[in-house]
Every structure is written in C-alpha cells, then in structure tokens.
C-alpha cells in the first residue's frame, strides 16, 4: 500500500534510534513535585488545597467552572508544602502547588472504574475525560473533553489518532504504541463514542514498522478502526496534515477539523483516556523521551507531573560535558531552556539535549528568493513575504496573507539557506494580528 | 556541561543548505559549459571567462568594503554572475569589455540595490544588456580564429540556412561561449536539479512555449530549442532565484512569458 501524506513539508533527520528500543520504565518517584496550575489551553483554575493539607495520589487540587479547562491532580500522596510561582516549560510564570511526597502513594481520585464502554453514554465518557484532567499530550495541551464535545449544528464522522510522531528524536508515542496498543484502541473507542463518530483511524509513519504491526494486531477484531500508514515527512502529525493525508479533506483556513467532520487526538492521549476509564486514573503521570547526543544514557521514562526536569536528566545519566542546549519537546517545535530547574507538565513529551557541534549559531543573510520556504510550508503560506511584513509591522498585509494559518511547524526556517528565522518573525506577525483583533473587539 | 545553555527560538535543527552551497553548486553546474567553450574556442574562451569572473569578484569586494559590509566573495554569487555573463559573450570580445561588463553587472545590477538578494534583475543580464547597448558591434561579431561565422540563428533568419541539429546539440557552432553546446548546459542543469537547487517549472514552461510557438509558426521547433541562447537563458538565467517568482503558478507564468518573448524576437 502506498503511504499516505500531505503536500509539501520537509525531511529532517529523525534520530529516533537513540531511544526507540528503550522500553518505558518508571522514573524514580520524586521527593517533591511542583505542579503548575495551568497545564491546558483555556480558563485559569482555582486551587482547591492549601498549605499543610494532606493529599492523595490522583486527588484533584485545582479546577474551575469554565467549560474550556482541565483540572489538575496531585501526582504523589503527601503534604502541600506551599503554593508559589514557578516558571513552566513554556516560559510562563504560573502558580504551582508544591507537594512533599509521603512514604507511600494511595490512589484516591474519586473516579470509578469501568471495564467496558457499554454502560457509559457519550456524556458520561466526556465527563470522565474532563474529571481526569486529560489534555492533548502531543504538546498543545488542549482539553480533550472539549475536543469531543460536538456542537449541535455539527457532526463528526471520524476520530483520527495521531501516531505519526513526526518530531525528530521523540519516541514516546512510539513506545506507547508498541507496549500498550490495547489501551490506545480502548481510548480510541471511548473518544469515538464521546464524539459520536462511526470510524476511527490510527495514522502511523512508515518508519515505525513495529508500531504499525503492534497497532494492526490490536485492531484486528475492530470493524470500524483502521491503521493508516503515512509517509515519513514533517509535519505529518499536524491535525490538518493528518486529515489531508488520511481523508483527503481540507480544513478551511481559520477552521477546525470539526468543520470537516473530524476530531484528531494523540495516541498517548487515547491511552490516558483508557487509563482514566478502566483504572480510574487521572492524568498525573506521562511518558517522555530523554534523548539527544548530549545525554549520557538516553531513555524513555514515565514521570510524575511536576517532577523536576533536572531529576529526569540525572536519571538518564546526566548531561555530557559538551551538552550545549536543552530543549523541552522536539527539535522542530520545542522550547530551549535556560536551566533544568523546571517542572515537567502534561504536554512535555521530550527532553532533547544537543551538543556543541549541533548548535551552530546561524547568522541570517539576505533572502535570495529561492522559494524553498514557500515549497516547504504545509499550509501553503509565503513565509518569506510574511516575515517581511512582520518586520515592517504591516498588520493588514499579514492578515490578508493568512499569517494566522501558520501552525508554527518551523519547516520554513528549517529549509531556508539564508538561515532566516522565519517562524520567529511569523510568530511575532501572528501576535501583531491578534493584538489588532483584540483592539477591534 | 561546560558552558551556559544556549537559548534560541525553534526550530533547533536546520537543513544543510546554505546560500554558499547553492551558489557554488551553480558554479559547478556551469563547468561543463565552460569546458565546452574552452574546447571549441580554446584559450580565447578561457581568457574571456577569467576576465569576467575576476571583474565580478573584484567589484563585489570593493563595493562590500565601501558599504562597510561583510566580505561576500565566499558566497560564490559574484563568481556565478561573472561566469553567466561570460557565457553570453562572443569569443572574440576584447577582454577589457568582458571585464567591464562584469563590473556593470555587479555594480549596477546588484550592489546599487543593496547586494545579494535585493536585485530585481539577473545581474549577468544587466551586464549583457549594457554591453549590447554600448558596444553593439563587438557584441555581434562572432569570429573564431579570424574566420567570421554567422550564428545559426542569423543564418536561419537572414538566409534560411538551418544548422544540423546534432551540431547544435553537441556544440561546434557559431555563437556566444555558452551557447555552443546544449548538452553541456543540460548536464549542468541536471546536477542542480538533482541537488534540488533549481526550479524546473520555469525552464520547462519557457522551453515548451518556444517549442510550441515556433512549431505553430511553421519553423523547426527542434532547431529553435538548441539554437541561440535559449538553453542558457532558460536553464540558468530565467531560473535565477532572486529575480524569479516564488510560487509555483508564478513560475509557470514567468516561464511562459519568457518563452513568448523568445518566440516574438526570433520570428
Ligand atoms: S509559515 Fe508557519 S506553517 Fe508554514 S512552514 Fe513556516 S512555520 Fe510552518
Ligand atoms: S527559504 Fe529563505 S532565502 Fe529562500 S525564499 Fe524563503 S526566506 Fe528567502
């Protein structure tokens, strides 16, 4: 079968062999966790605990009445030491609950366990997903229950699971697909039922044959679920790219997958949904790849939310002498960190350490109009032109030329021979347009 | 860990391509044509090419110095301009003219607009246009070793004599240095294509337009493909990155327009 894909995009080096065959294992249980109280896109949460409180593993510690939000749970049993400000991996300063771990964990989430989906209706499933605090684990951290809440005037035919893991280096979704395929399928069925979708697809890039085989075995008996093999190309895992590749449907500019009857979730997110429904386990831990040539012993770990990133790095053998850059996430969209003293959150899928020869400092030279960025952009934008508009504060032109459609995948910057930081300019351009829109309202 | 961690915005990896690599690949791609020129026109060709390249590099250096900008010689773009200009010149051209042409190409065609990336026209073509306007006689004397030979195109136009297509393709014909061998140009172009450093849409549209256009007017389309500067123009001039469009549709239209111009001029 020919691998499916989208138009344009790029082929970076994937470098997955560093961690691809390292089975997931539990990281050491931290003595203290610092849990940021904003780990989702949406409304801020109210903290439900105070200094000195005893909390149990999985106990809700922050929530809100707003629809678009995801509650947060204690990731260890222990004592609330303090509530203080912390810098999260995204560089935002947010409130965080600091919990000192007790000797032992006692799961007490208040979530019931359900062996099958038969007795649950769509609303009940959505409620479990919400109560378990599940967000998109690919990095976007959009509340999952919101994604599968379909407005009355819309309907959904398909749920697509993103198993592309197109970011170089990262092998988290890969390991989950190899090790917990049944959980992913269970989670997918829950998401389909919640969204009212009849069919499910799992899209996997063809450079992950073991994951394809594992998932294909797991869906053998499922009439409505199919594994789709995708071409290995970045950013294949983007929502719009997946939909184009698998269904040939095009999401309109400024629109959502919902507009073409599709909901897209990450494979790891689906596994978390299964854990919540079957084990009553909220999202208090997740898997991560700790990788790159700057780390002594690259591996895949399962960590408690709020663990210090530095502890995870230590557990993976620590940094090498020539380590030069530490990135949370992958090399294309991840964030470079000043230090390791930050908590891991629900969307942190990787810690990538690059060494000195891998971090050339690029000095941009003038654009030679080679059009490589135009040919790479999966959203069919004109990055070179948009970057110029952004540099010159030409907000109307930015808007007219669809800067808001930019998914910040970084493909344009990647290919540019003049080493112009295009996506950086585009991000600034986007915020200019957003600022103007807010002014108008 | 020895130093502080580096913090820059994403993406944290970049492709291996650079402006320098692209420009030097174009130089490599032009080498077959250079060899062909030297083969057919001997030392004369070599001196013309050297004069043009030296002129281009020198003036690039001087301008960057005056404008207090980084030395850009190493990026290879001046060498490309010098080479391209030389390939459009007749072998009999005085060396100083080739040298001067390059100075105009880089000076007027590129540096006055602010250097690499800023020029609206292909600098080599600016140089050539200037020479044609200033020294029309020198630019249209196609003499080799004292024997004057008309170019296949002028023979065709003036006297209705068609040159053997095989000769046109392989070389050994009157004309500018780079026009002589279509196969040498195609060879170089395939290298660029393989490296992904060139648009194929523009040349295809341009060559296709000339083929169909000349055919429609009852001329021999194969002859027109390989005669004159079409190959050089389509493969290496029209594809100049800086002055050609960035969208795919734009490239088709650009190639079509360029091809139409050729048809109009030739018939
Ligand atoms: S313009 Fe935006 S969407 Fe297009 S390649 Fe660049 S970052 Fe990606
Ligand atoms: S890739 Fe870079 S040099 Fe090429 S057109 Fe885009 S911005 Fe310009």
């Amino acid at each position: 079968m020919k691998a499916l894909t989208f138009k344009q995009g790029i082929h970076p080096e994937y470098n997955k062999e560093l961690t691809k065959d390292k089975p997931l294992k539990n990281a050491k249980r931290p003595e203290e966790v610092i849990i940021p109280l904003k780990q989702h896109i949406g409304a801020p949460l109210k903290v439900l605990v105070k200094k000195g409180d005893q909390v149990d593993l999985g106990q809700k510690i922050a929530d809100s009445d707003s629809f678009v939000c995801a509650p947060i749970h204690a990731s260890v049993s222990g004592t609330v030491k303090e509530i203080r400000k912390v810098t999260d991996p995204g560089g935002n300063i947010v409130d965080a609950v600091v919990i000192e771990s007790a000797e032992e964990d006692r799961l007490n989430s208040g979530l019931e366990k359900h062996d099958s989906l038969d007795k649950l209706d769509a609303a009940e499933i959505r409620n479990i997903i919400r109560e378990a605090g599940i967000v998109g684990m690919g990095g976007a951290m959009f509340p999952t229950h919101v994604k599968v809440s379909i407005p009355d005037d819309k309907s959904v035919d398909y749920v697509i699971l993103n198993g592309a893991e197109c970011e170089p280096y990262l092998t988290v979704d890969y390991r989950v697909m190899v090790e917990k395929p049944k959980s992913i399928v269970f989670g997918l069925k829950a998401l389909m039922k919640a969204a009212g979708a009849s069919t499910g697809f799992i899209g996997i890039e063809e450079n992950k044959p073991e994951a394809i085989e594992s998932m294909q075995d797991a869906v053998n008996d499922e009439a409505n679920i199919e594994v789709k093999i995708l071409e290995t190309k970045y950013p294949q895992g983007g929502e719009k790219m997946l939909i184009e590749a698998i269904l040939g449907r095009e999401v309109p500019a400024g629109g959502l997958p919902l507009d073409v009857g599709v909901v897209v979730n990450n494979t790891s997110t689906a596994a978390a949904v299964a854990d919540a429904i079957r084990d009553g386990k909220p999202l208090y831990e997740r898997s991560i790849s700790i990788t790159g040539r700057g780390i002594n012993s690259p591996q895949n770990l399962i960590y408690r939310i709020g663990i210090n990133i530095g502890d995870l790095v230590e557990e993976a053998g620590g940094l090498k002498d020539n380590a030069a850059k530490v990135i949370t996430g992958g090399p294309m969209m991840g964030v470079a960190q000043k230090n390791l003293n930050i908590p891991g959150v629900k969307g942190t899928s990787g810690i990538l350490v690059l060494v000195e020869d891998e971090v050339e400092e690029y000095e941009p030279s003038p654009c030679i109009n080679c059009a490589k960025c135009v040919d790479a952009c999966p959203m069919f934008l004109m990055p070179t032109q948009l970057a110029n508009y952004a540099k010159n504060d030409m907000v109307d032109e930015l808007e007219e030329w669809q800067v808001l459609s930019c998914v910040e995948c970084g493909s344009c910057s990647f290919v540019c021979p003049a080493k112009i930081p295009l996506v950086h300019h585009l991000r600034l351009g986007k915020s200019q347009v957003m600022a103007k829109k807010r002014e108008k309202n | 860990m020895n130093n502080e961690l580096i913090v820059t915005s994403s993406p944290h990896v970049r492709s291996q391509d650079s402006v320098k690599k692209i420009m030097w690949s174009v130089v490599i791609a032009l080498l077959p044509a250079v060899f062909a020129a030297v083969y057919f026109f001997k030392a004369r060709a070599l001196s013309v090419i050297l004069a043009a390249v030296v002129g281009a590099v020198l003036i690039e250096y001087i301008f960057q110095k005056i404008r207090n900008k980084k030395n850009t010689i190493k990026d290879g773009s001046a060498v490309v301009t010098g080479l391209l200009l030389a390939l459009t010149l007749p072998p009999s051209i005085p060396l100083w003219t080739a040298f001067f042409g390059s100075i105009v190409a880089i000076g007027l065609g590129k540096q006055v607009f602010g250097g690499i990336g800023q020029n609206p026209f292909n600098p080599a073509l600016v140089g050539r246009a200037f020479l044609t306007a200033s020294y029309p006689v020198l630019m249209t004397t196609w003499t080799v070793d004292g024997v004057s030979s008309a170019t296949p195109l002028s023979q065709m136009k003036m006297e209705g004599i068609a040159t053997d297509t095989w000769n046109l393709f392989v070389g050994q014909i009157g004309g500018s240095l780079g026009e002589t061998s279509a196969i040498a140009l195609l060879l170089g172009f395939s290298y660029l294509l393989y490296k992904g450093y060139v648009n194929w849409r523009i040349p295809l549209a341009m060559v296709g337009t000339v083929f169909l256009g000349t055919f429609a007017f009852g001329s021999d389309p194969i002859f027109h493909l390989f005669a004159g500067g079409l190959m050089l123009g389509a493969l290496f001039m029209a594809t100049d990155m800086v002055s050609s469009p960035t969208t795919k549709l734009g490239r088709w239209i650009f190639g079509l327009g360029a091809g139409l111009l050729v048809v109009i001029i030739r018939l």
Side-chain angles (χ1 to χ4, degrees), chain A residues 4-5 7 11 43 60 65 93 97 161 194 200 213 215 246 256 272 301 312 314 323 336 357 361 385 434 439 441:
Chain A
L4 305 164
T5 194
K7 290 186 211 71
H11 295 277
K60 212 195 274 178
D65 296 333
I93 297 181
V97 172
L161 288 191
E213 199 184 319
M215 290 312 305
I246 293 178
L256 291 172
L301 296 174
L312 289 174
E314 278 318 306
D357 357 327
E361 299 228 8
Q385 200 180 335
M434 300 293 270
E439 232 167 73
N441 294 336

Side-chain angles (χ1 to χ4, degrees), chain A residues 373 376-379 381 383 405-412 423 426:
Chain A
C373 56
C377 178
M379 300 304 295
L381 304 177
S405 300
C406 170
V407 295
E408 302 182 25
C409 67
S411 300
C412 48
V423 58
L426 263 69

Side-chain angles (χ1 to χ4, degrees), chain A residues 190-261:
Chain A
L191 290 164
M192 285 161 62
K193 190 160 183 182
S198 57
T199 309
F201 294 114
I202 304 165
I204 309 174
E205 284 186 343
E206 59 187 337
N207 64 347
K208 305 175 182 70
E210 294 94 330
I212 292 171
E213 199 184 319
S214 154
M215 290 312 305
Q216 260 163 352
D217 280 351
V219 301
N220 251 345
D221 308 328
E222 306 293 339
N224 309 324
I225 299 179
E226 202 184 318
V227 172
K228 292 281 187 185
I229 299 169
L230 310 171
E231 194 184 310
T232 306
K233 186 163 85 173
Y234 181 87
Q236 182 66 74
E239 288 191 335
K240 295 181 182 182
M241 286 87 235
L242 276 172
I243 295 171
E244 181 187 337
I246 293 178
L247 297 168
R249 295 189 184 178
E250 192 189 327
V251 180
L256 291 172
L258 209 53
D259 297 330
V260 291

